Amino acid sequence: MCTPVVTHNPQASRYEAYLDGELAGFAEYETDGDVLVFHHTEVDPAFGGRGVATSLARGALDQVREQGGHTVRPDCPFIAAWIEKHPDYSALVTG
C-alpha cells in the first residue's frame, strides 16, 4: 500500500494528499494572522479506508511545525480529534 504524499497548496489555502498521483483528499484552512484555522478535511470516497485522512493530518501539521511561525486552530472536527489522539502536536494549537 502506498503512503499518500501531502503537499501545501497556499494558493488554494489547503494541504492536499495525493495517492498514486491522484488528488485523494485535502484539508482547508484560513489564515488569521499567524494562525492557520483548519475548518474542513475531505477525502474522496474512492480513497476511503486507505489512511489518507490520517496521512493528511500528520503531513499538514508536520509541515506547519517545520515551517515555524504559525500555530493552528483545529475547527475541523477530524483535525481536532487527530491532535487529541496525538498530544505531541498539541504545542501547535492556539487557544
Side-chain angles (χ1 to χ4, degrees):
M1 180 157 112
C2 292
T3 302
V5 174
V6 177
T7 61
H8 186 205
N9 182 343
Q11 292 80 15
S13 297
R14 66 187 197 176
Y15 287 85
E16 300 172 337
Y18 289 86
L19 195 57
D20 299 327
E22 293 185 59
L23 180 63
F26 55 87
E28 294 178 324
Y29 66 85
E30 293 177 0
T31 303
D32 183 8
D34 54 353
V35 178
L36 299 182
V37 182
F38 282 91
H39 57 83
H40 180 70
T41 300
E42 186 174 321
V43 174
D44 185 318
F47 295 96
R50 295 168 71 180
V52 173
T54 294
S55 293
L56 186 53
R58 182 181 308 277
L61 294 171
D62 282 348
Q63 290 180 43
V64 170
R65 187 185 326 200
E66 289 167 10
Q67 181 183 17
H70 286 95
T71 56
V72 300
R73 191 173 82 216
D75 288 355
C76 168
F78 179 80
I79 298 290
W82 194 91
I83 291 171
E84 192 171 305
K85 292 177 187 175
H86 300 87
D88 50 317
Y89 287 85
S90 63
L92 286 173
V93 178
T94 189

